[in-house]
């Protein structure tokens, strides 16, 4: 049976989601808004959770978890019902603003930045950049967090002219400290970054206490290609999976599956996931346990539920590059617009084993979409993602998958316009297997 997701609708939906989500905080805000519109209600970690079956979500900074117990618990499966989990991450490589960023040099005002994650430095040169993020401010009852999205072109990391270094085309080397600072004005005196933040979040300057602020390219995402068969956008790694996961969960819960479908979007994957809301934290295991106990289950029921759980960890995969085809495994060529990508690595940089792979293959068959298999060349190092971490923390069968992508970790990445619909279809079938 073919999935019901429309290609053009999902392509545009992904574009809208990406453009509205310059930071992990905004990605969670966008995901939460879509869930709330379909009847999901927010729960707060510090409060008791509802004991009746329902659809809920939780936000912790740049991470989000959503679940639905109406099918499993409501139909009498009990609190030991297993979980079907789709995981992704909300963060992407970028340039983040340092705590004391303002300085000036030879008549230019600049901001101090620190590269976040494994970004392609050269792709940030000569781009029109904006600022967005979270600001901690002084409130009436203590610290309050506010997010903002500066959509205007504000910054630029200026490339050195070819006339001043004619060797650049032979091999560009960029120093992260000295070459990547964006300019944002003219003057011999430093600018006022704190004042800018105060304006953005509507407080007095002295009430700005701290921030998590990052740069983002302001050029909108777009369809391109002769037949508009491609999507060019920032942060597709991994907002494409985050968006597909939200769409899949909303589709799957309509069938009221006999297990508990869960969507988890982690922050900080690009820097190792070690934080209070990353994949190595207690966030996922603690929420899963609280779902069981809120439904009347005991510790034994929690471990029974984990034993019946399957996790699909989604992160974008490398499409075979036409200009660098020798960098890819010759027997595992990957194409855009050709369906989801199963990711396999014998050394468990991906968590996929035969049982998990079979579960994902069956989901793709149920959705009526093709499936591809990615393996890194044996003489090249293999990347990793949150799959092995979630597998080790929960003991659950886990499979790593993705969607095909070119220019991974660039300011603008490239994927197929048909893939978002197939991606969401496969994940919906995984969350609600026939």
């Amino acid at each position: 049976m073919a999935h019901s997701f429309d290609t053009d609708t999902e392509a545009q939906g992904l574009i809208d989601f990406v453009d509205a989500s310059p930071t992990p905080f905004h990605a969670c805000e966008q995901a939460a808004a879509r869930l709330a519109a379909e009847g999901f209600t927010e729960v707060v970690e510090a409060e008791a959770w509802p004991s009746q079956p329902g659809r809920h979500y939780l936000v912790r900074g740049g991470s989000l978890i959503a679940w639905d117990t109406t099918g499993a618990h409501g139909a009498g499966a009990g609190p030991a019902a297993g979980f079907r989990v789709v995981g992704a991450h909300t963060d992407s490589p970028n340039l983040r603003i340092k705590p004391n960023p303002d300085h000036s040099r030879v008549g230019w005002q600049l901001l101090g930045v620190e590269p976040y994650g494994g970004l392609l430095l050269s792709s940030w040169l000569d781009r029109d950049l904006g600022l967005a993020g979270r600001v901690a401010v002084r409130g009436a009852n203590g610290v309050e967090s506010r997010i903002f999205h500066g959509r205007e072109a504000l910054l630029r990391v200026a490339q050195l002219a070819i006339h001043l270094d004619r060797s650049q085309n032979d091999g560009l080397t960029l120093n992260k400290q000295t070459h990547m600072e964006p300019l944002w004005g003219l003057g011999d005196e430093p600018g006022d970054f704190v004042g800018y933040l105060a304006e953005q979040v509507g407080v007095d300057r002295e009430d700005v206490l701290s921030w998590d602020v990052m740069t983002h390219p302001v050029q909108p995402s777009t369809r391109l290609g002769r037949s508009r068969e491609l999507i060019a956008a920032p942060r597709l790694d991994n907002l494409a999976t985050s968006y597909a996961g939200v769409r899949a969960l909303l589709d799957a819960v309509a069938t009221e599956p006999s297990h508990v479908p869960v969507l988890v979007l982690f922050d900080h994957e690009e820097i190792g996931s070690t934080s209070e809301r990353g994949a190595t934290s207690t966030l996922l295991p603690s929420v899963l346990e609280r779902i069981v106990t809120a439904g009347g289950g005991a510790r034994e029921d929690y471990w029974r539920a984990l034993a019946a759980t399957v996790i699909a960890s989604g992160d974008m995969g490398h499409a075979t590059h036409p200009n660098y085809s020798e960098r890819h495994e010759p027997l595992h060529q990957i194409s855009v617009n050709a369906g989801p990508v199963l990711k396999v690595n014998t050394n468990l940089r991906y968590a996929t084993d035969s049982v998990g792979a079979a579960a994902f293959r069956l989901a793709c068959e149920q959705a009526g979409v093709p499936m591809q298999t990615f393996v890194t060349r044996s003489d090249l190092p293999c990347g990793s993602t949150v799959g092995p971490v979630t597998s080790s923390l929960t003991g659950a069968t886990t499979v790593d998958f993705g969607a095909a992508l070119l220019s991974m970790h660039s300011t603008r990445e490239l994927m197929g316009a048909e893939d978002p619909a197939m991606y969401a279809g496969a994940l919906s079938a995984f969350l609600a297997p026939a």
Side-chain angles (χ1 to χ4, degrees), residues 79-119:
F83 300 97
R84 277 283 176 131
V85 183
V86 166
H89 68 87
T90 58
D91 61 321
S92 300
N94 56 20
L95 301 171
R96 303 201 171 189
I97 308 303
K98 290 180 177 179
N100 297 314
D102 283 314
H103 62 291
S104 63
R105 189 182 305 121
V106 295
W108 293 93
Q109 294 175 334
L110 301 106
L111 287 179
V113 295
E114 183 174 6
Y116 174 91
L119 70 171

Side-chain angles (χ1 to χ4, degrees), residues 3 241 244 314-317 333-343 360-361 363-365 367-374 400-405 415 418-430:
H3 67 83
T241 311
D315 205 349
M316 301 301 276
Q333 301 288 291
I334 303 298
S335 301
V336 301
N337 289 334
V341 180
L342 182 73
K343 301 164 81 170
F360 193 75
R361 182 177 295 278
C364 290
E365 290 181 2
V369 303
M371 192 195 81
Q372 309 179 82
T373 303
F374 172 83
D400 274 302
F401 68 94
L405 185 75
M415 72 178 295
E418 298 177 26
D419 281 323
M422 289 190 283
Y423 211 24
L427 296 188
S428 176
F430 174 83

Side-chain angles (χ1 to χ4, degrees), residues 83-88 264 266 279 284 288 306-315 342-345 348-361 384-401 430:
F83 300 97
R84 277 283 176 131
V85 183
V86 166
V264 56
F266 290 113
L284 178 60
L288 295 182
L306 286 185
T309 293
V310 184
I311 299 173
S313 167
D315 205 349
L342 182 73
K343 301 164 81 170
V344 178
N345 179 255
L348 292 184
R349 298 290 287 170
Y350 304 128
T352 306
D353 64 6
S354 60
V355 176
F360 193 75
R361 182 177 295 278
S384 190
T385 183
V386 299
V389 173
T390 53
S391 176
S392 63
L393 286 175
T394 62
T397 295
T398 303
V399 56
D400 274 302
F401 68 94
F430 174 83

Side-chain angles (χ1 to χ4, degrees), residues 225-383:
R226 186 173 182 180
S227 300
R228 317 300 287 172
E229 69 268 46
L230 301 170
I231 297 175
R235 302 179 297 279
L236 290 174
D237 176 20
N238 190 26
L239 293 187
T241 311
S242 299
Y243 172 77
V246 173
R247 296 288 291 125
L249 178 63
L250 293 176
D251 189 66
V253 298
T255 68
E256 296 191 353
S258 59
H259 54 270
V260 179
V262 178
L263 171 69
V264 56
L265 308 179
F266 290 113
D267 199 354
H268 296 147
E269 186 275 344
E270 298 291 358
I271 55 171
S273 297
T274 305
S275 70
E276 96 290 354
R277 58 183 183 267
T280 64
S281 73
T282 60
L283 178 60
L284 178 60
S286 65
V287 169
L288 295 182
E289 183 172 3
R290 291 188 69 176
I291 292 172
V292 172
T293 57
R299 186 75 169 173
E300 172 71 9
D301 296 304
Y302 170 60
W303 292 115
R304 289 173 60 198
L306 286 185
T309 293
V310 184
I311 299 173
S313 167
D315 205 349
M316 301 301 276
H318 298 292
T320 302
H321 198 301
N323 297 340
Y324 302 91
S325 58
E326 72 281 359
R327 305 293 292 182
H328 300 268
E329 162 59 44
L331 299 181
H332 293 81
Q333 301 288 291
I334 303 298
S335 301
V336 301
N337 289 334
V341 180
L342 182 73
K343 301 164 81 170
V344 178
N345 179 255
T346 299
N347 295 299
L348 292 184
R349 298 290 287 170
Y350 304 128
T352 306
D353 64 6
S354 60
V355 176
F360 193 75
R361 182 177 295 278
L362 289 176
C364 290
E365 290 181 2
Q366 179 180 328
V369 303
M371 192 195 81
Q372 309 179 82
T373 303
F374 172 83
V375 177
T376 302
R377 281 182 60 106
S378 298
D379 54 358
L380 291 177
C382 180

Side-chain angles (χ1 to χ4, degrees), residues 41 57 93 137 146 160 164 166 188 213 233 238 261 310 330 343 355 380 384 391 405:
T41 58
Y57 69 90
V137 302
R146 302 185 184 183
L160 183 66
L164 301 179
R166 296 187 182 274
D188 293 323
V213 174
N238 190 26
V310 184
K343 301 164 81 170
V355 176
L380 291 177
S384 190
S391 176
L405 185 75

Side-chain angles (χ1 to χ4, degrees), residues 196-235:
Y196 167 81
L197 291 185
E199 292 175 0
Q200 293 299 306
V201 299
V203 299
D204 293 334
R205 189 182 187 282
E206 58 270 21
D207 289 330
V208 174
L209 302 175
S210 189
W211 55 81
D212 303 294
V213 174
M214 53 206 78
T215 60
H216 64 94
V218 298
Q219 181 184 359
S221 306
T222 188
R223 296 275 293 268
L224 59 79
R226 186 173 182 180
S227 300
R228 317 300 287 172
E229 69 268 46
L230 301 170
I231 297 175
R235 302 179 297 279

